[in-house]
Amino acid sequence: MSPLKKSEELLKTLHLSEAAHSLSQFVKQAETNESTYLSFLYSILEYEQKRREEKQLEKRLKWAAFPFQKTLDEFHLEEQQSLSQKQLNHLRELTWIEQLYNIILLGPPGIGKTHLSVGLGLEAINQGHKVMFITMGELVHALKTQEILRKAQTKMKRIRTADLVIIDDLMFMAMDQHEANLFFHLINDLYNRSSIILTSNKAPKEWGELLGDPAITTAILDRLIHRAEVIHLNGDSYRMKHRATIFTEKV
Ligand code: ADP
Ligand code: MG
């Protein structure tokens, strides 16, 4: 075996597979540039580390299961008067994740709740956090089927190990007692170990109706609101304002 081949095999054995994969290129480059031994060594180690970080980021993004990828920079604050630049900057710093604060985003449909939650989720991933996005409908389904479905089990495991769990469209549908109970247990499990972003088009005082049981609703609300920032978004639907039309004039 050639020294190159042998080195590649050894790098692989030592779990430096990215370096192994690109070794011949790095050697060629070093020869052309007449690099020093040290700068050759450094460049290959640096490459291995950079690729690892990139792969980790890709993995976390996939793991998060966002419905779309829209950043906070794509969120137009001038369209959303109920959130100031200062507030958004504060949210972007993500100290609230370290402090286990929850964010509750309220407001009518089309106002940007999901966009904001995804934007914050992306920011969190870039800062090294584990994030999981799930709609309330999917969550209830996963909670109910986790004993029997492998896929649901995986989802629930991801939720339980995430630093930030985004639960989108809370109370879109009414829950029965069993579902409300399962939801309560999840919130209780997450309470002292992760942050939650929750979006809803219903005010918390209306949640009781949909959850059915007032005692469970109070218990859930207690834990969610204990350390939470509640943000009311209002105004007109961004979707409606910016909708595509087949006529030249919007009606
Ligand atoms: P909600 O979850 O409140 O129903 P979405 O976040 O799904 O609303 O927003 C609907 C659409 O409008 C999305 O495509 C979103 O990117 C866009 N949108 C809403 N508000 C804004 C905003 N302030 N700036 C940029 N795009 C926005
Ligand atoms: Mg939404």
Side-chain angles (χ1 to χ4, degrees):
M1 220 192 292
S2 71
L4 178 68
K5 210 76 223 112
K6 275 197 219 161
S7 304
E8 282 171 353
E9 290 303 318
L10 267 178
L11 283 169
K12 270 188 223 156
T13 313
L14 295 167
H15 300 290
L16 297 164
S17 54
E18 298 290 336
H21 189 70
S22 303
L23 184 63
S24 64
Q25 242 170 292
F26 273 94
V27 171
K28 249 187 240 145
Q29 214 171 47
E31 280 167 358
T32 322
N33 299 344
E34 296 181 14
S35 308
T36 61
Y37 298 121
L38 204 56
S39 75
F40 165 72
L41 178 66
Y42 181 76
S43 62
I44 197 140
L45 290 177
E46 188 191 33
Y47 176 73
E48 174 73 35
Q49 193 203 23
K50 194 178 116 232
R51 280 297 299 145
R52 275 190 196 185
E53 278 170 8
E54 281 169 4
K55 281 200 301 198
Q56 181 79 322
L57 201 71
E58 281 164 28
K59 204 166 117 195
R60 292 210 160 152
L61 267 178
K62 212 171 138 201
W63 213 81
F66 293 124
F68 51 74
Q69 284 192 23
K70 287 199 179 179
T71 64
L72 291 179
D73 290 329
E74 289 170 82
F75 192 79
H76 303 135
L77 267 185
E78 64 282 4
E79 304 266 356
Q80 186 41 256
Q81 304 296 334
S82 38
L83 193 69
S84 70
Q85 185 66 56
K86 199 172 154 195
Q87 281 174 310
L88 187 64
N89 291 345
H90 191 78
L91 288 176
R92 193 195 279 267
E93 281 170 14
L94 305 181
T95 42
W96 51 274
I97 294 186
E98 270 120 58
Q99 295 162 352
L100 300 179
Y101 262 69
N102 300 328
I103 308 282
I104 301 186
L105 293 172
L106 302 172
I111 206 85
K113 300 184 296 297
T114 303
H115 184 151
L116 259 184
S117 67
V118 169
L120 288 168
L122 284 169
E123 196 70 40
I125 287 180
N126 285 331
Q127 292 194 26
H129 293 291
K130 276 205 220 171
V131 179
M132 172 78 187
F133 180 103
I134 193 159
T135 65
M136 190 61 189
E138 285 165 352
L139 178 60
V140 170
H141 181 72
L143 280 168
K144 285 204 300 194
T145 54
Q146 59 185 323
E147 309 288 337
I148 43 166
L149 293 182
R150 184 82 178 260
K151 215 170 146 194
Q153 213 170 44
T154 310
K155 259 186 201 165
M156 290 315 303
K157 195 169 161 223
R158 286 179 179 180
I159 288 174
R160 290 202 165 91
T161 53
D163 304 308
L164 171 65
V165 181
I166 302 172
I167 304 174
D168 198 33
D169 267 332
L170 180 83
M171 307 308 150
F172 201 65
M173 23 71 103
M175 276 192 256
D176 64 28
Q177 177 96 26
H178 176 58
E179 292 166 342
N181 246 313
L182 288 169
F183 184 53
F184 165 71
H185 282 290
L186 176 70
I187 297 296
N188 197 40
D189 287 348
L190 297 179
Y191 179 50
N192 275 323
R193 59 159 318 274
S194 55
S195 284
I196 298 171
I197 296 181
L198 211 138
T199 80
S200 180
N201 53 14
K202 296 257 191 318
K205 65 176 188 313
E206 294 171 83
W207 293 357
E209 273 169 45
L210 291 144
L211 277 169
D213 187 318
I216 293 182
T217 309
T218 312
I220 292 174
L221 269 177
D222 265 3
R223 283 156 184 79
L224 282 176
I225 309 277
H226 180 208
R227 291 179 301 260
E229 195 62 62
V230 181
I231 299 167
H232 292 264
L233 299 176
N234 49 45
D236 297 326
S237 162
Y238 187 93
R239 259 196 220 107
M240 285 302 282
K241 262 196 291 184
H242 296 268
R243 75 188 196 280
T245 167
I246 53 169
F247 303 113
T248 45
E249 293 283 318
K250 282 189 186 174
V251 285

